Amino acid sequence: MSRSGPEAAGLNLPSYSPEQVLPLAGGQVSVGRRRNSTGESPNVDLGRTPEDPGVSHQHALLVQQQDGSWAVVDQNSTNGTTVNLAEEPIQPYVPVPLHEGDRVHVGAWTTLTVRRG
């Protein structure tokens, strides 16, 4: 949020958001917010309460690589995607390999943590 500029001051961070555990399956997992006009919904819908207003409708993809590992691909989101403590967002449409324990940051406050099942 510190990179978001003056508009970050107006965000109301949720006091609590329950952890959700979702399996990485099917070769690709979409991350974003439901689009009410079309009903299109990502696999990981961050538009539910508490909604993260910094998440784009089609924010990122988690994609399985040929060797079975996973990577994150930003879908040219408005606010970008960062991995771990990186200062700069990853480049849109460029797969970034993920490893056990990596933290993928999207939106204003959402963090996805990679864990082996």
Side-chain angles (χ1 to χ4, degrees):
M1 280 187 12
S2 62
R3 290 190 302 262
S4 299
E7 56 276 349
L11 289 175
N12 293 316
L13 295 176
S15 59
Y16 174 74
S17 181
E19 179 178 278
Q20 298 178 40
V21 177
L22 303 163
L24 293 175
Q28 180 172 293
V29 176
S30 58
V31 178
R33 288 186 298 123
R34 179 181 178 86
R35 190 179 303 273
N36 292 328
S37 61
T38 64
E40 178 184 357
S41 184
N43 300 110
V44 179
D45 185 359
L46 299 172
R48 297 188 175 136
T49 304
E51 180 177 358
D52 186 334
V55 174
S56 298
H57 289 286
Q58 296 178 351
H59 197 100
L61 291 174
L62 301 174
V63 293
Q64 192 168 25
Q65 305 300 288
Q66 288 183 339
D67 66 359
S69 66
W70 287 80
V72 61
V73 182
D74 183 84
Q75 297 296 288
N76 201 26
S77 64
T78 301
N79 295 309
T81 300
T82 59
V83 177
N84 296 322
L85 299 174
E87 287 293 319
E88 294 297 319
I90 63 175
Q91 293 296 310
Y93 307 117
V94 177
V96 173
L98 294 173
H99 307 284
E100 175 74 17
D102 279 351
R103 298 168 62 86
V104 178
H105 305 280
V106 298
W109 58 68
T110 301
T111 300
L112 307 171
T113 304
V114 178
R115 296 187 187 135
R116 292 185 188 256

